[in-house]
Amino acid sequence: MNDQGNAIPIQKDKPIAPIRPRDAASLLLIDRSGKDLRILMGKRHMRHVFMPGKFVFPGGRTEPADGRISAIAELSDVDQAKLLTGMGSRSSVQRCRAIALSAVRETYEEAGLLLGRRHPDTVSISHPDWAAFVERKILPDLSVLRYFARATTPPGRSRRFDTRFFLAFRDAVADTLPEATGPSQELEELCWLSFHEANQLDIPEITRTIIMEAEAILAANPTLDPGNAVIRYRMKYGRFVREVF
């Protein structure tokens, strides 16, 4: 009631529109030069709203322009087919390329590592996000990426990502920034760690799960030949499930 004795209408909360997860990609870069395999991880800057201070792999959201970037070699037929699986009505080869190329771009932006191969001629990539590749005459190489996992943020979150995870060996790095970090400075304390050491860090639970899956893939397929299974984590029937395809 208000002061005049009239009933005050109850304001009902507006239903929250479902958020479509955004495509994203993350790269697990593996150093196989020593006795034990080591994985690259970095600490997210504390200024970040999303997972500040957590250790993660290089990665981030996919931009539409990524799919139009030239590559010196494309995804294997097997990896492309696996990426196309589950894309629904928005399925396309360009979208597959965009996801894979965003893993390469984000690895440069966050870790200062350029995956690809040098090209003797001028590299024709006009997008400013790829200027460092052009300057060094490097074209990204998608054939070295092995798609092995996918995780979708559950509904109800303010930010949702449909993240595809790739594996690649450190050998695929054609050049490295001398600053030992990427120009975005989103990751600090970049380090190469054994799988055991990585699991001791302050990491999100899904990151821990992906590390476990990567270790299993490498144990079964140490040379990362195409044809490995892909593991998917998502909400289904009200619970988080693990699927293999």
Side-chain angles (χ1 to χ4, degrees), residues 119-191:
H119 197 277
D121 302 322
T122 301
V123 173
S124 100
I125 300 176
S126 59
H127 199 283
D129 288 350
W130 295 82
F133 286 77
V134 175
E135 291 166 6
R136 293 163 175 80
K137 293 188 176 182
I138 295 172
L139 278 172
D141 183 356
L142 301 185
S143 69
V144 303
L145 301 181
R146 204 61 62 231
Y147 174 44
F148 78 101
R150 179 180 179 182
T152 307
T153 310
R157 309 290 176 86
S158 57
R159 298 183 183 197
R160 298 190 68 205
F161 297 99
D162 191 352
T163 305
R164 277 73 163 192
F165 295 87
F166 298 87
L167 279 163
F169 290 121
R170 190 177 185 177
D171 317 32
V173 175
D175 206 349
T176 306
L177 294 187
E179 296 85 357
T181 187
S184 70
Q185 298 187 334
E186 291 184 35
L187 295 183
E188 49 190 9
E189 298 183 36
L190 285 165
C191 46

Side-chain angles (χ1 to χ4, degrees), residues 24-86:
S26 192
L27 179 62
L28 282 68
L29 202 56
I30 306 296
D31 184 348
R32 55 178 171 175
S33 62
K35 178 183 175 183
D36 297 319
L37 296 177
R38 295 185 299 158
I39 186 170
L40 178 66
M41 300 196 75
K43 184 179 180 181
R44 284 182 62 81
H45 201 284
M46 291 302 296
R47 70 171 180 267
H48 287 296
V49 175
F50 186 62
M51 296 194 300
K54 299 286 186 181
F55 277 86
V56 295
F57 322 115
R61 67 189 184 190
T62 299
E63 301 297 343
D66 290 326
R68 298 188 290 272
I69 300 302
S70 300
I72 203 164
E74 297 296 330
L75 289 161
S76 75
D77 291 341
V78 175
D79 287 289
Q80 180 175 289
K82 294 278 189 180
L83 279 166
L84 286 167
T85 301

Side-chain angles (χ1 to χ4, degrees), residues 14 22 60 88 95 106 151 159 161-162 180 195 199 225 237:
K14 293 182 179 179
R22 290 201 58 171
R95 187 179 170 201
E106 288 285 344
R159 298 183 183 197
F161 297 99
D162 191 352
F195 285 100
N199 273 312
D225 298 323
Y237 308 124

